[in-house]
Amino acid sequence: MDKRYAVIMGFGIALIGAGLALWAQLPLPWLLGPLLATAITRISGLPSRCPPLVNKLGRWVIGLSLGLYFTPEVAASVAGNWPLILFGMLYAMGLACIGCWVYRRFAGLDLPTAWFSAAIGSASEMANMAQRNGARLDQVVAVHSLRVLLIVLIVPFAFQWYVGDLPEVERYVALSSWTGLLMLVAGSLAAVWVCERFRLPNGWMLGALLFAMLVSLADIRLSTLPSWLSWAGQLCIGWSLGDKYRPDFLRTAPRLSAVVSVSTVLAIGLSALIGWGLAGLTGVSAPTMILSLIPGGIAEMTITAKVLGLGVPLVTAMQVMRMLCVVFSTETIFRRLLRSRGEP
């Protein structure tokens, strides 16, 4: 099939999935609908396609929308929670150590593959590090893909049930200024270029987030972000996540898939328990604290926070700092502390 028709087919499937999710009143319909529809059709063998740029555009939109939350008052409140942010970073590293042991003990992975599979960082960055350090790239990618899929499927439904009595947060927001929006777009794309130039992790999301955050902190109100743009970003993320799955996904490495599934569910449960305990100690709402600790992707977790109104700035800050901590320390820890141990 011609690539252009495969892309058009993929977009159509993602859009239909979003429509069905809206009709069924699923949580995060613009994310979950395209993800489920695309994943199901890809696993069934339909040759649709999602260009890599779609994921980047989705992350750019999400970063832009999140950065606008950081007004001076909100930023001061988040800065006051720096002990929680530090704890979140250490917690992520602790989960990586536990996950590495689990994958070696129960899935039979070698040390490099187990370590880079267990690190709760950007999946693309972990794959690059795994390739540089002699790990099984296919297994690392499979672990991260399945972990993110399970978290995206489980967490929104759990939170919708948990906070079901809250008012709907993601109401329609109209565009306030075309000129301001164009300035936001131009500035954020320039920041993305800088992040990509210096090879920062998750540059499309981080660049847009940092630019919008700086604008908000300076109390410069260029424009609101229209709902249609936010929904488009969620659709891009869901479409690109679903496109990762192939017809042999359910048949490949069933033992590894079982271990990843069980360990991911346990990690969600552990995060919920710790988050609930920290909420009682700090006064932060339990849903916000739990979502801040969930070991999922930044985009997916922050979208959940945004749609359900669960302390977006704190969730964003903790998830971003966790990602940066893991990305910048994982390879160093492996080379200096783990690789010298060798294989038993």
Side-chain angles (χ1 to χ4, degrees):
M1 177 182 290
D2 187 281
K3 288 184 178 180
R4 290 173 297 178
Y5 294 113
V7 170
I8 293 173
M9 179 189 296
F11 176 70
I13 291 170
L15 201 57
I16 291 172
L20 291 174
L22 286 167
W23 173 76
Q25 297 185 332
L26 298 184
L28 279 68
W30 290 96
L31 173 70
L32 287 182
L35 190 159
L36 290 172
T38 305
I40 291 171
T41 53
R42 292 292 281 132
I43 290 174
S44 67
L46 201 65
S48 61
R49 183 172 178 266
C50 177
L53 181 61
V54 169
N55 182 269
K56 295 177 181 179
L57 290 175
R59 292 181 181 276
W60 167 70
V61 172
I62 299 307
L64 197 59
S65 65
L66 295 174
L68 295 176
Y69 279 88
F70 285 84
T71 62
E73 298 78 13
V74 169
S77 174
V78 171
N81 285 314
W82 67 265
L84 291 177
I85 297 174
L86 178 60
F87 175 83
M89 296 161 65
L90 296 175
Y91 174 67
M93 298 308 299
L95 282 181
C97 294
I98 295 172
C100 180
W101 178 82
V102 168
Y103 293 150
R104 296 194 73 197
R105 173 67 177 80
F106 297 102
L109 301 187
D110 58 72
L111 180 58
T113 303
W115 176 245
F116 290 105
S117 296
I120 318 284
S122 169
S124 59
E125 293 295 329
M126 294 304 105
N128 292 335
M129 292 180 192
Q131 196 166 27
R132 287 196 298 266
N133 290 276
R136 283 278 305 274
L137 182 60
D138 58 330
Q139 292 181 332
V140 173
V141 171
V143 170
H144 283 286
S145 298
L146 183 55
R147 171 179 60 84
V148 171
L149 176 65
L150 288 171
I151 289 176
V152 171
L153 291 179
I154 293 172
V155 172
F157 286 99
F159 274 91
Q160 187 184 53
W161 169 79
Y162 189 82
V163 300
D165 294 332
L166 290 181
E168 179 62 34
V169 174
E170 197 182 30
R171 62 187 184 278
Y172 180 77
V173 177
L175 174 65
S176 61
S177 169
W178 274 108
T179 302
L181 179 62
L182 291 175
M183 293 175 67
L184 277 175
V185 169
S188 63
L189 289 177
V192 167
W193 181 85
V194 172
C195 289
E196 291 288 292
R197 183 73 174 79
F198 287 95
R199 300 182 181 277
L200 295 181
N202 214 337
W204 280 79
M205 182 174 181
L206 190 61
L209 174 67
L210 290 176
F211 177 79
M213 187 186 301
L214 290 175
V215 169
S216 298
L217 288 175
D219 206 21
I220 301 173
R221 304 181 185 277
L222 294 176
S223 173
T224 56
L225 202 67
S227 290
W228 58 263
L229 187 57
S230 175
W231 297 337
Q234 294 177 45
L235 184 144
C236 287
I237 295 291
W239 180 18
S240 61
L241 286 176
D243 189 64
K244 295 179 182 295
Y245 300 94
R246 298 294 181 267
D248 62 347
F249 173 73
L250 297 176
R251 300 190 300 270
T252 302
R255 178 183 175 190
L256 176 59
S257 298
V259 172
V260 174
S261 300
V262 172
S263 61
T264 298
V265 172
L266 291 176
I268 293 173
L270 178 62
S271 300
L273 287 174
I274 294 176
W276 181 79
L278 286 175
L281 294 175
T282 63
V284 177
S285 73
T288 296
M289 197 68 256
I290 293 169
L291 193 57
S292 298
L293 296 176
I294 293 289
I298 299 176
E300 299 80 41
M301 296 302 95
T302 51
I303 288 171
T304 303
K306 180 176 180 293
V307 172
L308 297 180
L310 302 177
V312 176
L314 182 59
V315 173
T316 301
M318 290 188 67
Q319 290 286 350
V320 168
M321 292 307 297
R322 181 265 303 167
M323 184 271 293
L324 293 176
C325 172
V326 171
V327 168
F328 287 120
S329 64
T330 296
E331 193 166 23
T332 300
I333 291 174
F334 175 75
R335 290 181 174 180
R336 295 188 178 181
L337 300 178
L338 299 179
R339 187 166 61 181
S340 60
R341 294 173 54 191
E343 292 295 319

